[in-house]
Amino acid sequence: MQSKPTTIKEIAQLLGISVSTVSRALHDHPSIGLTTRAKVKKLAGELNYEPNQTAIFLQKGKTHTIGVILPELSEAFFSSAISAIEDTAYKKNYTVLLAQSHDDEVKEKQLVEKMKNHRVDGLLVSVGKNTSSFQHFENLKKYNIPVVYFDRIPNIPNIHYVACNMEIGTIEAVSFLLKKGHRAIGMINGPQTMVATGERKEGYIKAMTKNRLKYDPSLIVSCDLTEEGTKKALDDLLANKRKPTAIVTFNDYVALFAIKYAQKLNIKLNQDLEFVSYANLPLINYMENIPAASVEQFPYLQGQKATDILMDLLHHQDKGSNEQSAYYKIIIESQLIENKK
Amino acid sequence: MQSKPTTIKEIAQLLGISVSTVSRALHDHPSIGLTTRAKVKKLAGELNYEPNQTAIFLQKGKTHTIGVILPELSEAFFSSAISAIEDTAYKKNYTVLLAQSHDDEVKEKQLVEKMKNHRVDGLLVSVGKNTSSFQHFENLKKYNIPVVYFDRIPNIPNIHYVACNMEIGTIEAVSFLLKKGHRAIGMINGPQTMVATGERKEGYIKAMTKNRLKYDPSLIVSCDLTEEGTKKALDDLLANKRKPTAIVTFNDYVALFAIKYAQKLNIKLNQDLEFVSYANLPLINYMENIPAASVEQFPYLQGQKATDILMDLLHHQDKGSNEQSAYYKIIIESQLIENKK
DNA sequence: AAATAACACGCAAACGTTTGCAATAGCCCG
DNA sequence: CGGGCTATTGCAAACGTTTGCGTGTTATTT
């Protein structure tokens, strides 16, 4: 009962014709007669013939498969991105090979090797936060495997990437609060080491100066993004000589920690203290007490764009050959979204 | 500069020996002399030789790849599960091919075909909530592609699966509410088509009878798991002649929809109405108004076990041949977790 | 009616690897 | 010194496709 899948060879034998004819008939090659074509297709249908992709891969040197390497599948941002990637790839008839680095540089390197051995046509990467060398990715160029980075991109030249710029969104966020009358606006920012922390700070300052307001450094505090750290940061801000009436937080997790803590301190939300955050969590839709607005980073869109770029690269790599000094550098502007309550 | 990957053939040519010798040398075949073996390995190292998996796949008929089909990658439960699957597969040197059905039966069927064409060695499946026929999965048996179902399992015999039994958790959940003094306990259940719906209902009934209480069918309502459906279900329950003081909801999404709606109706949470739910969302930790308790379903563990089973099947399928009437049926007991607020 | 074009199909190589079998060499032993 | 053995290596088929080229048949042209 354990039937092996039908092969082109069997069809050929059964019909008394050659394999090449069968192959061509199946592909509607013009040089095959209509009657033969019909016969072949009929039998193929009856035998439930499905081409063996591995054989085609070997023959064509293309696998119609793209690899995805990212830090953590279970993080909301990435699971949303991978969802987009899979959707987009599926539409173009590509399959996705998945792997997570857990922010481990060594594992990341192994995964690149593995992807190469599996002969993926291209790679989508969001680099681990500890990754310092990007040679393992750069090596792929030699093998003509294009790489598109997204969200967490390496700081090196000559790469394709799509990322989200936090500055604009931050300016919008601060402006939003200013327009609502707030003047003392606090910020619970991330660790100094992260690029995103700098972008947020810059955005904050630009928004203030654009509105001819003085920038008060004491209103920006760092935070390690844990619940405890958030509490401490909020305490600091509330103890400031200029007590903020609104706070921009590094991300939704921090915002929710802060909101929870503020409630415990009997602070009236959206009255004594208003929050604006960065949307890492799609789940915010399900909640009652949420930041008044969020800076959206569009994980789904990022995944989609990155995949589109990769597809484009895959379909044009034969032509432009070595002259292709053009690199995709897509910046998605973050955008403030007012949360409906 | 665009070097093609090194092949075994090139190594053979460079060394003036045959490909078979190279192949065997690389695999430490005993019949190859030590000196040749060393020479081959040295050159292979220098040329950065990596075996072409697609060729090996074709030759061996095995791809060392497992397919995963699940409804929605961006749902917390599944992203946690896929994370476990990838981790476990990685340890056994397998790669995972990923696809989401979006609960669309037609797409699910296409994906099965695609997986088959890609010659995955085995399949991990969580079926879509509307899937009514499972023939597309059953067909894989003929091709000797083992399937392990997890979480959302079809109600058919002779399959391998790992699932979480909702009954125990539900009994615990209802008992928890009874102990708190509730007598009119409502349940917003899922669609009748899902196995999990039945289990919840059974658990509910058992908990009631165990406590010598009468089971009132009007207190259990179905729901399509959407926000609108949830509102309607809650309306129904609140209009019941015996108005419930506590409600068990099908999952956290439903719970949060219900909680949001209840607040809009000015119902005092944890006072007029208490909720218990099933934990699909790790993010519930970040929120203020949450169900009093949740039934944990261990997505990571489920993914892990399912992958282990599949690995086991893959490594023993040659032997037992057709005598294997033994099917893995792993039940993970759900467990009530009281949410700290 | 002969030359030519158009059509339909088959042959065989190629993709990179594995592996059963054959072949060669060197060696020991009688 | 020849027979047999072992240790090493090569040959070639196989996995399932695709595709350039060649060939035979039929239809069209002048």
Side-chain angles (χ1 to χ4, degrees):
Chain A
M1 191 83 280
Q2 299 207 358
S3 55
K4 285 276 137 218
T6 317
T7 74
I8 230 173
K9 203 181 287 181
E10 291 164 9
I11 298 182
Q13 212 150 27
L14 250 34
L15 254 40
I17 58 181
S18 81
V19 285
S20 41
T21 304
V22 176
S23 173
R24 281 189 254 256
L26 256 15
H27 287 83
D28 282 323
H29 192 283
S31 82
I32 301 297
L34 286 166
T35 45
T36 337
R37 211 184 297 186
K39 266 195 303 181
V40 170
K41 287 194 174 181
K42 179 158 171 290
L43 186 59
E46 285 169 5
L47 294 180
N48 246 306
Y49 169 75
E50 299 281 352
N52 182 332
Q53 298 290 356
T54 61
I56 299 177
F57 297 162
L58 176 59
Q59 163 69 28
K60 298 218 164 166
K62 293 284 162 210
T63 60
H64 255 66
T65 300
I66 62 174
V68 179
I69 299 180
L70 40 72
E72 200 62 53
L73 282 169
S74 55
E75 264 183 37
F77 181 89
F78 291 118
S79 74
S80 186
I82 187 72
S83 179
I85 291 170
E86 200 277 332
D87 281 345
T88 312
Y90 178 79
K91 279 186 202 127
K92 306 267 183 165
N93 212 19
Y94 274 75
T95 315
V96 346
L97 214 49
L98 185 67
Q100 54 189 339
S101 67
H102 291 299
D103 284 317
D104 176 347
E105 185 165 3
V106 176
K107 189 174 178 194
E108 199 175 74
K109 279 183 185 150
Q110 293 171 349
L111 291 177
V112 172
E113 278 306 305
K114 202 169 180 180
M115 292 293 178
K116 193 171 66 178
N117 295 350
H118 270 264
R119 295 297 191 271
V120 295
D121 292 347
L123 207 53
L124 254 27
V125 176
S126 199
V127 299
K129 70 179 159 201
N130 308 312
T131 302
S132 52
S133 156
F134 303 97
Q135 199 53 49
H136 46 301
F137 295 121
E138 290 294 289
N139 285 339
L140 293 174
K141 276 189 185 170
K142 283 189 295 195
Y143 297 109
N144 214 16
I145 301 178
V147 179
V148 177
Y149 301 89
F150 70 98
D151 193 54
R152 301 222 208 139
I153 63 176
N155 192 12
I156 53 176
N158 299 337
I159 57 171
H160 305 280
Y161 66 80
V162 19
C164 191
N165 183 5
M166 292 295 111
E167 209 177 286
I168 304 268
T170 308
I171 294 176
E172 286 179 6
V174 175
S175 302
F176 167 79
L177 291 172
L178 288 171
K179 215 166 288 166
K180 290 188 89 174
H182 295 283
R183 281 302 169 266
I185 299 173
M187 172 175 261
I188 301 183
N189 212 345
Q192 306 287 358
T193 51
M194 292 181 71
V195 182
T197 300
E199 286 180 1
R200 282 165 172 76
K201 184 176 172 182
E202 286 309 309
Y204 179 98
I205 296 177
K206 281 199 183 157
M208 295 305 268
T209 54
K210 207 168 77 179
N211 285 277
R212 295 152 195 268
L213 291 171
K214 219 183 76 203
Y215 155 55
D216 179 354
S218 72
L219 281 174
I220 299 189
V221 297
S222 278
C223 163
D224 62 357
L225 308 183
T226 66
E227 180 156 14
E228 279 314 303
T230 304
K231 284 183 182 175
K232 206 183 149 305
L234 186 55
D235 280 336
D236 282 359
L237 280 178
L238 294 176
N240 196 285
K241 50 191 182 302
R242 287 186 66 204
K243 189 168 155 184
T245 58
I247 294 180
V248 178
T249 58
F250 184 83
N251 65 26
D252 280 340
Y253 294 98
V254 171
L256 295 178
F257 285 142
I259 288 173
K260 202 157 105 182
Y261 186 51
Q263 284 196 311
K264 193 166 276 172
L265 296 177
N266 278 322
I267 293 170
K268 292 216 176 64
L269 291 173
N270 298 330
Q271 191 170 324
D272 294 348
L273 193 56
E274 199 157 11
F275 282 95
V276 167
S277 176
Y278 295 80
N280 288 310
L281 310 183
L283 295 163
I284 216 150
N285 298 322
Y286 296 93
M287 305 168 48
E288 325 87 65
N289 279 307
I290 54 178
S294 285
V295 179
E296 173 63 48
Q297 300 172 57
F298 308 105
Y300 195 92
L301 189 60
Q302 280 197 49
Q304 202 170 34
K305 289 254 186 214
T307 313
D308 280 339
I309 291 174
L310 186 56
M311 292 294 134
D312 189 67
L313 257 27
L314 291 177
H315 293 137
H316 298 100
Q317 63 184 358
D318 343 298
K319 313 177 185 175
S321 66
N322 43 13
E323 276 308 321
Q324 57 177 129
S325 55
Y327 287 91
Y328 281 98
K329 297 183 185 308
I330 305 288
I331 305 283
I332 295 175
E333 290 304 340
S334 55
Q335 186 184 327
L336 191 75
I337 310 257
E338 291 189 41
N339 292 321
K340 52 181 184 294
K341 2 184 175 185
Chain B
M1 190 84 282
Q2 299 207 359
S3 55
K4 285 277 136 218
T6 317
T7 75
I8 230 173
K9 203 182 287 182
E10 291 164 11
I11 298 182
Q13 211 150 28
L14 250 33
L15 254 39
I17 58 180
S18 82
V19 285
S20 42
T21 304
V22 176
S23 173
R24 281 189 256 256
L26 257 16
H27 287 82
D28 281 322
H29 193 283
S31 80
I32 300 297
L34 287 166
T35 46
T36 337
R37 209 184 299 187
K39 267 195 303 182
V40 170
K41 286 194 173 180
K42 180 158 169 290
L43 186 59
E46 287 168 4
L47 294 179
N48 246 308
Y49 168 76
E50 300 279 353
N52 183 332
Q53 299 290 355
T54 61
I56 299 177
F57 296 161
L58 176 58
Q59 164 68 28
K60 298 220 165 167
K62 292 285 161 209
T63 59
H64 255 67
T65 300
I66 62 174
V68 179
I69 299 179
L70 38 72
E72 201 62 53
L73 281 169
S74 55
E75 263 185 38
F77 180 89
F78 292 117
S79 73
S80 186
I82 187 73
S83 178
I85 291 170
E86 199 277 332
D87 282 345
T88 312
Y90 178 80
K91 279 185 202 128
K92 307 268 184 167
N93 212 20
Y94 274 75
T95 316
V96 347
L97 214 49
L98 186 66
Q100 53 190 339
S101 67
H102 291 300
D103 284 317
D104 177 347
E105 185 166 3
V106 176
K107 188 173 179 195
E108 199 175 74
K109 280 185 185 150
Q110 292 172 349
L111 291 178
V112 171
E113 278 306 305
K114 201 169 179 179
M115 292 294 177
K116 191 170 68 178
N117 295 350
H118 270 263
R119 295 295 190 270
V120 295
D121 292 346
L123 207 54
L124 253 28
V125 177
S126 200
V127 300
K129 69 180 161 199
N130 307 314
T131 302
S132 52
S133 156
F134 304 97
Q135 200 51 50
H136 46 302
F137 295 121
E138 289 294 289
N139 285 338
L140 294 174
K141 276 189 185 169
K142 283 190 294 195
Y143 297 110
N144 215 14
I145 301 178
V147 179
V148 178
Y149 301 88
F150 70 98
D151 193 55
R152 301 222 208 138
I153 63 177
N155 191 12
I156 53 177
N158 299 337
I159 57 172
H160 305 279
Y161 66 79
V162 19
C164 192
N165 184 2
M166 295 293 111
E167 210 176 286
I168 304 267
T170 307
I171 294 177
E172 287 179 5
V174 175
S175 302
F176 168 79
L177 290 171
L178 288 171
K179 215 167 290 166
K180 290 189 89 174
H182 296 283
R183 282 303 170 266
I185 299 174
M187 173 175 261
I188 302 182
N189 212 345
Q192 306 287 359
T193 51
M194 292 179 72
V195 180
T197 300
E199 288 178 0
R200 282 165 171 76
K201 183 176 173 185
E202 285 310 309
Y204 179 97
I205 297 177
K206 282 201 182 156
M208 295 303 268
T209 53
K210 208 167 77 178
N211 286 277
R212 296 152 194 269
L213 291 170
K214 218 183 77 204
Y215 155 56
D216 179 354
S218 72
L219 281 174
I220 299 189
V221 298
S222 278
C223 162
D224 61 358
L225 310 182
T226 65
E227 181 156 13
E228 279 314 304
T230 304
K231 283 184 182 175
K232 204 182 151 307
L234 186 56
D235 280 337
D236 281 358
L237 279 179
L238 294 176
N240 196 282
K241 51 189 181 302
R242 287 186 66 204
K243 190 169 156 185
T245 59
I247 295 179
V248 178
T249 57
F250 185 83
N251 65 27
D252 280 340
Y253 293 97
V254 170
L256 295 177
F257 285 143
I259 288 174
K260 199 158 109 183
Y261 186 50
Q263 285 196 310
K264 191 165 277 172
L265 296 178
N266 280 321
I267 293 171
K268 290 215 176 66
L269 292 172
N270 298 329
Q271 192 171 321
D272 293 349
L273 193 56
E274 199 159 11
F275 282 95
V276 167
S277 176
Y278 295 79
N280 288 311
L281 310 182
L283 295 163
I284 216 149
N285 298 320
Y286 296 93
M287 305 169 48
E288 325 89 65
N289 280 309
I290 54 177
S294 285
V295 179
E296 172 62 48
Q297 299 173 58
F298 308 104
Y300 194 91
L301 189 60
Q302 281 197 47
Q304 203 171 32
K305 291 254 186 213
T307 312
D308 279 339
I309 291 174
L310 187 55
M311 293 293 135
D312 189 66
L313 257 27
L314 291 177
H315 293 135
H316 299 101
Q317 62 183 0
D318 342 297
K319 313 175 186 176
S321 68
N322 43 14
E323 275 309 320
Q324 56 177 126
S325 54
Y327 287 91
Y328 281 99
K329 297 183 185 306
I330 305 287
I331 305 286
I332 296 174
E333 289 304 339
S334 56
Q335 189 182 327
L336 190 76
I337 311 253
E338 289 189 41
N339 292 321
K340 51 183 186 293
K341 4 187 171 185

